[in-house]
Amino acid sequence: MNPLARFETLAKPWYRVIDLHDSAVESNEEPLRVPGLQIIGGALEHLYIQCAQDSTRVRVHLRVWGSEPEAVHQDWSEPESGVLACASGTLLVNQWAVGPAAEWDLPSAGFFHAQVRQRGRQDVTRKIAELWEEADERGLTTKETTALMRGLDGTEQYLVDLWPASEKS
């Protein structure tokens, strides 16, 4: 089975959060935590991805399916599940301090089951620490260090799978 739609973008995780939400709903900068989950929190119209860092941009992949996917996810973490309402059919990938990184028109509107997987969280954390150590040893300015970090953009990645759900299931 192939997805109905695929989307991808780079987004800056201000305050270590990426907020996927219905375009008709305002951003909420106080994410609700879902007990026991490290990666996502949410409210009905928001899916918050808690990133490992806020120094580099993360890559967000979205796939929309007609039914629950049977896909194999090699090299991705186990999924964390949630529900997302998108009544407008347009999903924003919001970067709190600077606005949307992307606006995606979904194949349909409504309630969706959501699964979020990640990869690269440990890698990017380690690489950032190494880069800061190297920058300190070489006496680089913050501007020079920030430029070097651009090479790490997309190392931390999130895969979001959505498929139709009955209301608020």
Side-chain angles (χ1 to χ4, degrees):
M1 171 172 55
N2 291 322
L4 301 174
R6 291 177 183 262
F7 304 93
E8 183 178 314
T9 193
L10 286 172
K12 178 76 167 149
W14 293 95
Y15 307 103
R16 296 179 42 199
V17 172
I18 297 295
D19 175 7
L20 285 86
H21 67 88
D22 187 329
S23 66
V25 176
E26 289 189 28
S27 182
N28 177 359
E29 295 189 11
E30 296 181 20
L32 301 174
R33 296 297 300 156
V34 178
L37 299 180
Q38 295 178 12
I39 297 174
I40 67 172
L44 190 56
E45 294 91 4
H46 293 266
L47 183 67
Y48 300 105
I49 300 176
Q50 181 70 47
C51 301
Q53 50 78 39
D54 59 6
S55 298
T56 68
R57 295 183 299 169
V58 300
R59 186 167 307 281
V60 180
H61 307 267
L62 176 74
R63 300 183 304 188
V64 182
W65 304 85
S67 60
E68 184 172 2
E70 301 173 7
V72 175
H73 297 88
Q74 293 182 13
D75 302 324
W76 291 93
S77 69
E78 288 298 312
E80 293 184 4
S81 299
V83 176
L84 179 65
C86 189
S88 73
T90 301
L91 191 64
L92 297 181
V93 181
N94 198 20
Q95 312 165 107
W96 281 345
V98 295
E103 182 175 306
W104 297 330
D105 291 322
L106 304 179
S108 63
F111 290 94
F112 296 93
H113 292 285
Q115 286 188 335
V116 179
R117 291 174 170 81
Q118 61 82 20
R119 69 180 173 198
R121 285 170 63 94
Q122 294 79 14
D123 289 341
V124 77
T125 302
R126 179 182 45 79
K127 288 177 182 178
I128 288 170
E130 290 170 358
L131 196 144
W132 277 113
E133 186 176 314
E134 176 186 342
D136 187 47
E137 288 173 4
R138 292 175 46 197
L140 299 178
T141 65
T142 302
K143 186 176 180 178
E144 292 168 325
T145 304
T146 301
L148 285 176
M149 282 198 195
R150 278 285 194 214
L152 299 178
D153 282 352
T155 301
E156 183 175 358
Q157 298 184 46
Y158 295 90
L159 173 62
V160 180
D161 285 315
L162 300 179
W163 66 95
S166 60
E167 288 188 36
K168 303 178 187 179
S169 57

